[in-house]
Amino acid sequence: NAGVTQTPKFQVLKTGQSMTLQCAQDMNHNSMYWYRQDPGMGLRLIYYSASEGTTDKGEVPNGYNVSRLNKREFSLRLESAAPSQTSVYFCASLLAGVLGGEQFFGPGTRLTVL
Amino acid sequence: AQRVTQPEKLLSVFKGAPVELKCNYSYSGSPELFWYVQYSRQRLQLLLRHISRESIKGFTADLNKGETSFHLKKPFAQEEDSAMYYCALKVGGATNKLIFGTGTLLAVQP
């Protein structure tokens, strides 16, 4: 099993460009999450999908959209990138219904917006 | 308000010294807490969860509801423990959302 995979690993964008970050998991997990990691701020939840067919905003959703394409895939889209979106983005998944359930993380995408 | 506080950005200790990484939380319900770790060039992974009351790699963490704390402890630090440690609080019930602290970088000197 590959676990949680993310593409691309690195990306440089110019202000105003758009892009989609891809995330997939092969663990048959119900729930998926997108976080951003910034120095001194820890991980902050952008969007999540508690189950296939549902998505909801997290702590910092502005400037982002998501799509839960199917049970495996959860993509994050930046419609018009801004320098403030320079960050490392992590996708995670979890098998819901398990007490003390663990979130499994992807390797991250390092995004720079110039 | 729901919040996780890790007051130390950096904790530097010598090999063999005791380690305590502090975590305090604010939550009105019954808390469910975790420690996640990120080693250099590796992905974030679960270290331990309070509900399991387990010891992983020599680390333990006890939930103290009176002090609203979940400090991570290890009696004798090893160089391979050097990593970024995040305390996390589960919120939102069935959504399993996590709120993370800002993280503490543990540096174990030889």
Side-chain angles (χ1 to χ4, degrees), chain A residues 44-90:
Chain A
R44 292 179 293 167
L45 183 64
I46 304 171
Y47 269 94
Y48 66 98
S49 172
S51 61
E52 187 180 357
T54 69
T55 61
D56 215 334
K57 296 178 180 179
E59 183 184 356
V60 287
N62 291 346
Y64 305 95
N65 282 301
V66 290
S67 295
R68 183 76 182 265
L69 305 169
N70 47 54
K71 192 171 186 179
R72 288 188 64 248
E73 299 172 288
F74 188 39
S75 63
L76 179 72
R77 183 161 178 83
L78 286 70
E79 290 291 352
S80 179
S84 60
Q85 294 178 304
T86 293
S87 188
V88 181
Y89 291 86
F90 290 98

Side-chain angles (χ1 to χ4, degrees), chain A residues 4 33 37 40 42-43 45 48 90 94 99-100 102-103 105-107, chain B residues 32 34 36 38 43-44 46 49 51 86 95-98 100-102:
Chain A
V4 180
Y33 308 83
Q37 182 185 43
L43 279 81
L45 183 64
Y48 66 98
F90 290 98
L94 171 145
L99 193 61
E102 171 185 357
Q103 287 194 16
F105 284 81
Chain B
E32 192 171 335
F34 304 81
Y36 281 80
Q38 189 175 28
R43 62 185 70 192
L44 201 66
L46 179 68
R49 68 200 97 186
I51 200 166
Y86 291 97
T95 65
N96 291 289
K97 292 188 294 181
L98 292 177
F100 284 85
T102 51

Side-chain angles (χ1 to χ4, degrees), chain B residues 28-47:
Chain B
S28 57
S30 183
E32 192 171 335
L33 288 145
F34 304 81
W35 277 99
Y36 281 80
V37 61
Q38 189 175 28
Y39 300 102
S40 179
R41 285 186 284 277
Q42 293 187 29
R43 62 185 70 192
L44 201 66
Q45 58 187 281
L46 179 68
L47 180 62

Side-chain angles (χ1 to χ4, degrees), chain B residues 4-106:
Chain B
V4 176
T5 302
Q6 293 180 252
E8 303 136 329
K9 288 186 177 180
L10 171 66
L11 184 63
S12 182
V13 301
F14 287 103
K15 178 182 172 181
V19 170
E20 183 179 46
L21 300 169
K22 291 184 172 20
C23 172
N24 289 89
Y25 66 90
S26 174
Y27 187 59
S28 57
S30 183
E32 192 171 335
L33 288 145
F34 304 81
W35 277 99
Y36 281 80
V37 61
Q38 189 175 28
Y39 300 102
S40 179
R41 285 186 284 277
Q42 293 187 29
R43 62 185 70 192
L44 201 66
Q45 58 187 281
L46 179 68
L47 180 62
L48 54 80
R49 68 200 97 186
H50 93 269
I51 200 166
S52 301
R53 302 181 67 83
E54 59 204 341
S55 173
I56 303 292
K57 298 184 179 182
F59 284 97
T60 58
D62 291 319
L63 177 61
N64 185 323
K65 291 186 179 180
E67 296 184 357
T68 60
S69 68
F70 188 56
H71 303 327
L72 184 68
K73 300 177 183 179
K74 184 170 184 177
F76 308 104
Q78 303 299 314
E79 290 180 68
E80 55 265 30
D81 296 328
S82 296
M84 180 68 86
Y85 291 80
Y86 291 97
C87 182
L89 169 69
K90 177 183 161 182
V91 298
T95 65
N96 291 289
K97 292 188 294 181
L98 292 177
I99 292 178
F100 284 85
T102 51
T104 298
L105 180 62
L106 175 64

